[in-house]
Each structure stands twice: as C-alpha cells, then as structure tokens.
Amino acid sequence: MRGETMPKNQVFHTRTALAEGLKELFKQLEERLSLRSPIDVYLAGGMAVYLYTASRVTTDVDAEFGSRVFIPNDLIVDLTLEDGTRESLYFDTNYNSSFALMHEDYLDDAILLDLGVELIRLHVLSPLDLAVSKIARFADNDKEDIAELVRLGLTSSDEIEQRATQALDGYVGGLAMLRLNLRDAVALARQVEANGHDFGRHPDE
C-alpha cells in the first residue's frame, strides 16, 4: 500500500547550512529554468540521507525530475558549514536511478518536503528506499548511510530485506552480486539493531 511504511510526521534537518544551500540551489534552478508551472523533483543519495540524519556531509545532489529539464553545468552554490568548512553544492548530472536498486513504488512513497521554492515540489525518497538504493553499490559511505538510518530508527533490517527482495524482481543482470550485497546490508542493519542503535557512534556523541 502506498505510504504504508512511511512515517506520518517525518522531521527533516532543514535548519543547517547544507540544507539552506540546497534550498538556494533549487531557487537558482527555478530561476534558470524560467519555470511557469510546478515540477516534481525526487531527491535521493547522500543529500536525502543528510536531511534525515544530519550526519554525513555530501555536496553532490542526486535528483530525479518529473519533467525533462536541462541542468546548467555552471549551477553551483558556495556555502560555509557550521565548522567553517567551505563547500560547493551542485547537481550530479550523471545521476540515474536506473543504476540503483529501487522498488517500483519508490516515487509514490517519497515524502514531500516544502523548502519554500514555489515551483519545485521536492520529494525526498523514504528512509527505507534510500537504504535499498544503497545496496547496488554498497561502498563504505553507503554502508555508513544504511547504518545511520537504522540507528535512528528510520528503517529496519526486516523492512530493508523485504523491500529489496521485492525490488530485485524488477532488476536485470548482476543479481548474484546484488543478493550478496543485500545479505551484507541486512547483516549490517541487524548488527546496528543488536547494538542498541549505537553502531558507528563516536564516544563523544
């Protein structure tokens, strides 16, 4: 069922320098595209994870657009993080959701986030679908993101296993490696759960 596993009152971390930079990036995109009617944008990747967790800083924005758009290559927002680090935020124009493991309902179950950009309706992939999307590549930062989403109670090992198994039905090729990654992702999530959601936390947290 659409939205069945999604939190009803999801809290996003929008009052940070990175989130403000994301808002400015979409505002500039709105202006550069000279939009006259709203378009839907679906946020994935590390930036989406950040909005849920405020943990790992990333500067490339993975976004899927509900309409065909041209993203200017020079669309970059410079910002200063809370610790004084300077970063540049930009759209990853090579992002393609077809290369990730995605459940067929991932767009329907994305959560609407009002960033205050009038003609861009921003939807953030659900924590569960973000975790599943990390399985195909399963690099160190993907493992970190899965662990953080589980640690915060935003998704669970059982949900990930079920959703990813369903998503495999629509995936073509490389299933053996995906199944191994899924096994390891579920094991990671269960380790986090077994440790009382403390996996990966620093001693001073």
Side-chain angles (χ1 to χ4, degrees), residues 61-79:
V61 177
D62 295 337
E64 182 173 352
F65 292 81
S67 306
R68 294 184 181 275
V69 298
F70 173 74
I71 306 297
N73 290 327
D74 62 346
L75 184 55
I76 299 173
V77 169
D78 294 322
L79 64 144

Side-chain angles (χ1 to χ4, degrees), residues 92-132:
D92 181 357
T93 55
N94 293 317
Y95 172 71
N96 187 335
S97 61
S98 298
F99 297 143
L101 182 62
M102 295 289 198
H103 189 276
E104 62 181 357
D105 294 330
Y106 78 99
L107 294 180
D108 288 338
D109 288 337
I111 301 172
L112 189 64
L113 170 59
D114 183 6
L115 272 184
V117 184
E118 183 179 1
L119 295 179
I120 291 181
R121 289 191 297 252
L122 182 63
H123 309 257
V124 185
L125 263 61
S126 73
L128 175 55
D129 282 318
L130 283 172
V132 171

